[in-house]
Amino acid sequence: MKKLTILAFLLTISFAFSQTDTTETNIELDEAAYQQILDSINNSYTFQKGSIPLGNDLATLHVPEGFKFLNAEQSQQVLTDLWGNPPSETMGMLFPEDISVVGDNFTYAIEITYSEEGYIEDDDADDIDYDDLMEDMQESAIEENKERTKLGYPTAEIVGWAAEPFYDQSSKKLHWAKEIKFEGMEMNTLNYNIRVLGRKGYLNLNAISDMDKLPLVQTNIDRVISSAEFNPGNRYSDFNPDLDEVAAYGIGGLIAGKVLAKVGFFAAILKFWKVIAIGIVAAFGTLRKRIFGSKNA
């Protein structure tokens, strides 16, 4: 698509600028043209409201007030073609109602996926020491940064909890947030995780943003948590021990990503974190400043 080619060109320029002290450029692009490109991209997406089926009668998303939903096909394009993430089996994305896919007003987005890895027993939920769990995750991240460096990814340091884990026994929903420092990025990243437990696995609702957006995300998080439900037959209460498999980990393992322990923490990063979006925000900011200059200059 032509608009994606243009966008890739702009992002290449902006990332190149971020690696140099160059203060002049021969690019001739006025602000109207810049905005026209962004408008063209953002207007190409069709958002939905109301009740959205997820999977093959698996679950239902009731788009919360103040949000809009982008379907799986379009979300995949955003995640891979625009934001540069590896392909994933996304079910769609939630955006705040007044937020664009790309542009200066981006704050955060929530990707929805499903992991069918068995029924997760929650017996350990009340016994977890979250300080110890965080220490384990931080140590794993340090070790796995060696692999990230080999593969050309920036290192990632888990600073700590941005919001300590909370598990609601009645709704079978779990949420927590981590503060992550990525190599080369000025602002730390917020990774807000929501898990909805079901009969054979769980729904993932993962929000990504800069750390300074934590209050904004928390303002809306209750509505987001309550928006997704498994359909009858797939609910946690529908578990049949004679037919269904039990996951090899509990609540603590789910939070720590222990399901991926054998293949390493790097795999957990690829599966659960969508951080390129934050780089895109920074890239557009850099591009705009370099081409148009500061209004206060």
Side-chain angles (χ1 to χ4, degrees):
M1 297 174 62
K2 184 176 180 181
K3 60 177 177 293
L4 294 183
T5 302
I6 294 173
L7 178 62
F9 171 70
L10 291 177
L11 293 179
T12 299
I13 294 171
S14 62
F15 279 118
F17 279 153
S18 68
Q19 303 298 317
T20 181
D21 291 331
T22 302
T23 56
E24 295 182 359
T25 177
N26 294 323
I27 299 172
E28 294 184 2
L29 182 67
D30 61 24
E31 187 163 1
Y34 168 87
Q35 191 59 49
Q36 185 176 9
I37 291 171
L38 295 187
D39 290 344
S40 175
I41 295 168
N42 288 315
N43 291 338
S44 69
Y45 294 101
T46 302
F47 291 91
Q48 297 172 265
K49 295 288 189 72
S51 295
I52 310 294
L54 298 176
N56 184 18
D57 197 31
L58 176 72
T60 300
L61 176 74
H62 304 285
V63 179
E65 182 182 354
F67 285 83
K68 55 188 177 183
F69 176 79
L70 194 64
N71 68 19
E73 181 180 358
Q74 295 179 93
S75 293
Q76 186 67 262
Q77 185 187 69
V78 169
L79 290 167
T80 57
D81 295 342
L82 295 188
W83 293 359
N85 288 275
S88 65
E89 296 182 6
T90 183
M91 289 182 157
M93 298 178 73
L94 281 171
F95 287 81
E97 199 165 28
D98 58 348
I99 296 304
S100 304
V101 170
V102 290
D104 298 335
N105 74 337
F106 182 87
T107 54
Y108 72 99
I110 300 169
E111 186 194 8
I112 304 169
T113 59
Y114 173 64
S115 296
E116 188 169 317
E117 296 171 346
Y119 173 86
I120 298 175
E121 295 180 324
D122 59 359
D123 312 19
D124 65 332
D126 293 331
D127 302 322
I128 301 170
D129 186 319
Y130 291 122
D131 290 335
D132 288 347
L133 185 61
M134 173 53 65
E135 288 182 8
D136 288 344
M137 294 164 64
Q138 289 171 327
E139 290 174 3
S140 296
I142 291 171
E143 192 62 30
E144 290 302 326
N145 273 329
K146 298 174 184 177
E147 186 67 16
R148 290 181 63 84
T149 300
K150 286 181 183 178
L151 295 174
Y153 287 84
T155 59
E157 171 192 350
I158 302 178
V159 178
W161 299 118
E164 193 168 283
F166 176 78
Y167 178 60
D168 187 330
Q169 286 275 3
S170 60
S171 68
K172 305 301 179 184
K173 294 181 179 181
L174 169 71
H175 60 99
W176 73 93
K178 295 186 292 258
E179 178 179 357
I180 307 164
K181 181 176 180 58
F182 283 92
E183 180 183 11
M185 296 185 68
E186 295 181 5
M187 178 74 72
N188 287 353
T189 296
L190 170 67
N191 180 217
Y192 211 115
N193 301 266
I194 300 168
R195 301 290 184 264
V196 182
L197 305 189
R199 175 181 178 179
K200 297 182 179 181
Y202 53 91
L203 291 171
N204 314 289
L205 288 83
N206 291 339
I208 49 170
S209 189
D210 285 339
M211 269 304 301
D212 64 353
K213 302 299 189 301
L214 176 60
L216 175 63
V217 175
Q218 288 180 318
T219 297
N220 300 313
I221 204 67
D222 286 343
R223 279 179 287 163
V224 174
I225 291 171
S226 62
S227 67
E229 300 286 354
F230 281 100
N231 292 341
N234 297 310
R235 294 172 178 166
Y236 195 83
S237 58
D238 295 321
F239 171 70
N240 186 333
D242 296 326
L243 299 175
D244 303 325
E245 294 184 7
V246 176
Y249 54 92
I251 297 298
L254 179 58
I255 296 171
K258 296 297 185 182
V259 61
L260 299 172
K262 291 184 179 180
V263 292
F265 189 72
F266 176 68
I269 289 173
L270 285 182
K271 185 168 185 178
F272 295 128
W273 297 348
K274 300 296 182 182
V275 301
I276 302 301
I278 307 304
I280 294 294
V281 176
F284 273 107
T286 300
L287 178 66
R288 189 180 185 90
K289 183 180 293 185
R290 294 293 183 125
I291 293 179
F292 306 124
S294 173
K295 292 183 179 180
N296 297 322

